Amino acid sequence: MSLKLNEVKVGDTHEEVVVEDLKRTQIVQYAGASGDYNPVHTDNEYVTKVAGYPTVFAHGMLTMGLTGKAITNYVGDGRLTNFGVRFSKQVWPGDTLTTNLTVTEVATEGDSPSISLDVVTTNAEGDVVVKGTATARIDA
Amino acid sequence: MPVDQFPVEAGHIMMFARAVGDDNPIYRDDVHAKSSETGIIIAPPTFVQASAQFDPDYRLRPKPGEPWFGSGREPSGTPDTQGGTAARGLHAEQHYEYHRHIGPGDVLSAKSIPGKTWEKQGRRGGLLKFSENVTEYRDQNGELVITARSIGVITEKAAE
């Protein structure tokens, strides 16, 4: 699956729920896979009594990974050329996150056309948790 | 983070994709991958973050015989201040530039270049100390495959 130049235009959108009711176990899974074992993400005893948070929270990079899934589902596999985000709010167990992509530019110069995307992931309250941009190659 | 040898492995890619809830067969199914555009299993966009596994000194991994700031018998295994600092380090931004998509069999190395540092008064977390870091991931042939730029922030107190 990949996007074609004649099928995409500025203003096109893609919306995807990237996680529903985030489980603490998924945060543990991410710690194991990524190697980031910071106990603020998995250790309730530590995070409440020492670090001073209400409970554990997701790695920013888990939220970015979840967001990336929406992008690759839209642009296709192996098509991404840039992906960047700013983390604006913490993601907690129980959160449901939705990623919204908007096409901001379709570049046709050269022999390899590409698109630019505005990337926003929000929680169920509508608060933005990550915001960023991505670019990807598309088919001529 | 700097690493000398980051072997990209199929099982690791599968586990990483599972952890980000991505069931796309391009991350685990060799037969599917062969018939797809990429021709090979590739890694999800944020996979190189897992290079932490191959950094022998990575400070956010417990090591045998060394104090660990997470809980055991006590809420923390190190004096409050030390764990506190680690816990107040948050990720502010992350950017990737993909020069080529990596897959099983690639052996990457990563070199980090410290970037700018600056301070800002935050609304909720007190004084915020930002630092930028650029990491270049190269493959077994020395070719640049991914450029990562991250911005970290240390807050004075727990962010809400």
Side-chain angles (χ1 to χ4, degrees), chain A residues 32 37 43 46 81 83 85 87, chain B residues 53 60 71 83 92 94 96 98:
Chain A
Y37 299 98
D43 184 338
Y46 169 79
T81 46
F83 176 26
V85 299
F87 304 100
Chain B
Q53 302 276 19
L60 297 176
S71 70
Q94 182 68 44
Y96 292 110
Y98 305 96

Side-chain angles (χ1 to χ4, degrees), chain B residues 69-153:
Chain B
F69 64 102
S71 70
R73 201 177 302 126
E74 300 296 331
S76 177
T78 59
D80 187 347
T81 48
Q82 202 182 334
T85 310
R88 292 197 309 273
L90 298 173
H91 205 159
E93 289 184 37
Q94 182 68 44
H95 303 267
Y96 292 110
E97 190 180 342
Y98 305 96
H99 311 287
R100 170 169 82 73
H101 286 271
I102 56 171
D106 279 321
V107 181
L108 309 183
S109 62
K111 281 209 167 61
S112 286
I113 310 142
K116 296 177 292 187
T117 60
W118 65 99
E119 293 183 355
K120 196 176 126 183
Q121 197 60 43
R123 274 168 305 173
R124 295 165 301 164
L127 185 70
L128 306 172
K129 293 180 179 175
F130 291 89
S131 61
E132 187 186 40
N133 202 287
V134 175
T135 304
E136 290 185 344
Y137 292 90
R138 290 180 183 273
D139 68 11
Q140 53 281 8
N141 304 315
E143 298 289 330
L144 186 62
V145 289
I146 295 175
T147 307
R149 186 167 65 87
S150 83
I151 297 175
V153 58

Side-chain angles (χ1 to χ4, degrees), chain A residues 33-98:
Chain A
S34 70
D36 179 346
Y37 299 98
N38 190 331
V40 295
H41 303 302
T42 54
D43 184 338
N44 217 55
E45 181 76 359
Y46 169 79
V47 81
T48 55
K49 293 186 178 166
V50 181
Y53 290 94
T55 185
V56 295
F57 53 91
H59 305 71
M61 288 307 296
L62 170 54
T63 308
M64 186 177 188
L66 292 165
T67 300
K69 171 173 61 168
I71 302 174
T72 50
N73 283 345
Y74 183 61
V75 304
D77 302 328
R79 292 296 183 126
L80 261 188
T81 46
N82 278 278
F83 176 26
V85 299
R86 173 175 288 190
F87 304 100
S88 46
K89 208 167 196 305
Q90 275 154 313
V91 169
W92 304 98
D95 277 358
T96 291
L97 303 181
T98 305

Side-chain angles (χ1 to χ4, degrees), chain B residues 24-88:
Chain B
N24 188 335
I26 199 67
Y27 302 134
R28 57 177 161 77
D29 183 341
D30 215 23
V31 176
H32 166 86
K34 277 200 177 79
S35 64
S36 77
E37 182 188 324
T38 63
I40 55 160
I41 287 176
I42 59 170
T46 60
F47 178 75
V48 288
Q49 193 69 13
S51 60
Q53 302 276 19
F54 300 93
D55 175 358
D57 302 319
Y58 189 58
R59 68 185 182 92
L60 297 176
R61 177 179 64 242
K63 298 172 194 76
E66 289 181 28
W68 175 243
F69 64 102
S71 70
R73 201 177 302 126
E74 300 296 331
S76 177
T78 59
D80 187 347
T81 48
Q82 202 182 334
T85 310
R88 292 197 309 273

